[in-house]
Amino acid sequence: MQMSFQQRRRGIVGDVRQLKVDVDSYNDASSNEEPIQMDFDFHMDLAEIEAAEAA
């Protein structure tokens, strides 16, 4: 199970890295606009989901 979780986590990290590349690319190409800021800390997202599930 540990190996499975590690593989899944690596996949998620890959998705997040691609999101960062996409946002950085957009911001670089749209220098006349306010840059999009992306928060990669998911603690609050997870807490909200867990709270909703517990309700």
Side-chain angles (χ1 to χ4, degrees), residues 3 5 9-10 13-14 16-18 21 23-26 28 32-33 35-36 38-42 44 47 50 53-54:
M3 287 179 60
F5 292 148
R9 187 174 194 279
R10 276 193 295 272
V13 169
V16 171
R17 183 181 185 286
Q18 185 61 57
V21 167
V23 171
D24 289 347
S25 176
Y26 175 83
D28 290 344
N32 294 334
E33 298 182 34
I36 294 175
M38 189 63 53
D39 180 8
F40 295 104
D41 180 350
F42 297 102
M44 292 300 294
E50 290 174 355
E53 289 174 348

Side-chain angles (χ1 to χ4, degrees), residues 43-55:
H43 285 96
M44 292 300 294
D45 301 277
L46 293 171
E48 288 176 10
I49 291 168
E50 290 174 355
E53 289 174 348

